[in-house]
């Protein structure tokens, strides 16, 4: 028998529109006035914060003959400023020193802060609160107040103009913050997770590396970024403990473009643009971890 075609019922809903892959398209939501106002304010605030950086880039591309012109944009862009500032100064060696100092300080801080914070969070020893209070108090000391003592100490040890001297100093001044923030993260992780891992055959160190440390990774990333930025931007210790231009960090090298009577603004801003590129790249890679690290624990 031939099949009879059943007519479609009246009022049967049509299939929803779909994209090329067959997934249904979501209907567009109407933009609310409140959302539009918040977005406009956010873009305005972002523009206010980004305009100084835009001005820095434009000044870095100005020829020396147009530095005093009142126009916002130069007549032509001098891309050679970046080449000249790299060739005619110690900016390359200064950048290498800063990378070594910031990276070495951050690694040293993690190697010391993670075990110290883990032990402080897990073991209720006598004087634990006093130790945490002393760690917090050390944050009140400014490097400038200890420069004379540090200079005399490293001079007697023969460690002036050394990258490792700056690594030790930057690690020492950022260690307290890392211990404090990591102690809070380790304390928030249930100890029962480690006990279950140790029952399965892991030791204390294995439980820390495989269970606790991955859960505390937002705190570790937060400590890393704050330590790295603090070491990257450090100026006073680099100026005092390193007197040879090749062994000075980037912040001190950039300051060399400011003379007694003149300032090479185009070279100064070109060097500043080069200095902020590694930090921007670092933030681009770990930005989501930093946000989660700063907001973790704020909502129960």
């Amino acid at each position: 028998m031939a099949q009879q075609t059943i007519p479609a019922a009246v009022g049967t809903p049509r299939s929803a529109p779909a994209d090329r892959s067959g997934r249904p398209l979501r209907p567009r939501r109407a933009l609310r006035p409140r959302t539009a106002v918040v977005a406009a304010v956010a873009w305005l605030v972002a523009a206010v914060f980004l305009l100084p950086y835009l001005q820095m880039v434009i000044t870095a591309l100005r020829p020396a003959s147009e530095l005093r012109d009142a126009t916002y944009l130069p007549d032509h862009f001098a891309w050679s400023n970046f080449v000249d500032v790299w060739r005619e100064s110690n900016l390359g060696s200064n950048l290498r020193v800063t990378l070594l100092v910031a990276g070495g300080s951050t690694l040293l801080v993690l190697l010391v802060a993670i075990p110290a914070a883990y032990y402080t969070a897990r073991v209720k020893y006598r004087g634990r609160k006093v130790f945490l209070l002393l760690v917090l108090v050390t944050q009140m000391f400014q490097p400038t107040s200890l420069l004379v003592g540090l200079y005399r100490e490293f001079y007697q040890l023969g460690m002036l103009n050394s990258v490792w001297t700056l690594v030790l100093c930057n690690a020492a001044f950022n260690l307290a913050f890392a211990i404090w923030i990591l102690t809070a993260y380790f304390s928030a992780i249930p100890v029962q997770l480690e006990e279950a891992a140790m029952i399965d055959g892991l030791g204390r160190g294995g439980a820390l590396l495989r269970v606790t440390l991955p859960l505390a990774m937002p705190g570790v990333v937060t400590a890393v970024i704050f330590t790295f930025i603090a070491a990257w931007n450090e100026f006073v210790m680099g100026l005092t403990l390193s007197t040879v231009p090749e062994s000075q960090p980037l912040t001190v090298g950039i300051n060399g473009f400011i003379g007694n009577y003149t300032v090479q603004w185009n070279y100064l801003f070109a060097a500043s643009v080069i200095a902020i590129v590694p930090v921007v790249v670092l933030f681009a890679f770990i930005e989501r971890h930093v946000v989660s690290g700063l907001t973790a624990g704020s909502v129960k």
Side-chain angles (χ1 to χ4, degrees):
M1 294 178 63
Q3 287 185 341
Q4 295 181 354
T5 304
I6 302 176
V10 179
T12 301
R14 297 180 179 179
S15 60
D19 56 9
R20 294 181 179 179
S21 61
R23 293 177 298 182
L25 295 175
R26 295 182 179 180
R28 295 183 178 180
R29 296 182 179 180
L31 184 62
R32 298 179 181 179
R34 181 179 178 181
T35 304
V37 171
V38 172
V41 173
W43 279 105
L44 179 61
V45 173
V48 170
F49 280 97
L50 291 177
L51 277 177
Y53 294 95
L54 179 61
Q55 181 64 43
M56 179 177 65
V57 174
I58 292 175
T59 307
L61 295 173
R62 279 185 181 274
S65 58
E66 299 183 23
L67 288 176
R68 297 183 180 275
D69 293 350
T71 57
Y72 189 79
L73 294 176
D75 294 335
H76 67 279
F77 295 99
W79 296 95
S80 60
N81 287 342
F82 291 94
V83 179
D84 295 339
V85 76
W86 189 266
R87 289 180 178 178
E88 300 177 6
S89 65
N90 297 312
L91 194 66
S93 59
N94 298 145
L95 180 61
R96 179 182 60 84
V97 170
T98 301
L99 287 172
L100 290 175
V101 170
S105 302
T106 304
L107 180 61
L108 184 58
V109 165
L110 289 181
L111 291 177
V112 178
I114 289 177
Y118 178 76
Y119 185 84
T120 305
R122 288 290 183 257
V123 181
K124 307 300 181 181
Y125 56 90
R126 181 179 299 179
R128 176 176 176 272
K129 294 184 179 180
V130 177
F131 170 74
L132 291 176
L133 180 61
L134 290 177
V135 167
L136 187 61
V137 168
T138 56
Q139 289 293 99
M140 301 178 184
F141 292 99
Q142 294 294 328
T144 53
S145 62
L146 303 175
L147 275 179
V148 176
L150 289 174
Y151 183 87
R152 294 186 60 182
E153 180 179 355
F154 288 113
Y155 175 78
Q156 293 175 357
L157 294 174
M159 294 181 62
L160 294 179
N161 301 316
S162 174
V163 174
W164 303 113
T165 300
L166 299 179
V167 168
L168 291 175
C169 290
N170 283 280
F173 282 104
N174 292 284
L175 183 61
F177 172 80
I179 293 177
W180 184 270
I181 192 171
L182 288 176
T183 300
Y185 272 90
F186 286 138
S187 299
I189 298 175
V191 69
Q192 290 80 5
L193 297 177
E194 297 177 13
E195 294 175 350
M198 287 187 285
I199 291 175
D200 292 337
L202 291 178
R204 176 70 68 175
L208 170 62
L209 294 177
R210 297 188 181 184
V211 178
T212 308
L213 200 57
L215 294 176
M217 192 54 62
V220 174
V221 173
T222 304
V224 165
I225 190 64
F226 276 97
T227 303
F228 187 88
I229 295 299
W232 186 273
N233 294 330
E234 203 285 319
F235 174 77
V236 178
M237 287 189 296
L239 180 64
T240 305
L241 302 177
S242 297
T243 57
V244 179
E246 291 79 8
S247 63
Q248 291 177 335
L250 194 59
T251 51
V252 181
I254 292 176
N255 189 61
F257 294 102
I258 302 176
N260 293 329
Y261 303 102
T262 58
V263 179
Q264 298 173 305
W265 291 109
N266 51 345
Y267 292 155
L268 176 65
F269 283 110
S272 301
V273 171
I274 295 175
I276 66 175
V277 169
V279 181
V280 172
V281 173
L282 178 64
F283 262 104
F285 278 104
I286 63 175
E287 177 266 339
R288 62 187 183 91
H289 295 289
V290 175
V291 173
S292 62
L294 293 175
T295 57
S298 60
V299 179
K300 290 186 178 181

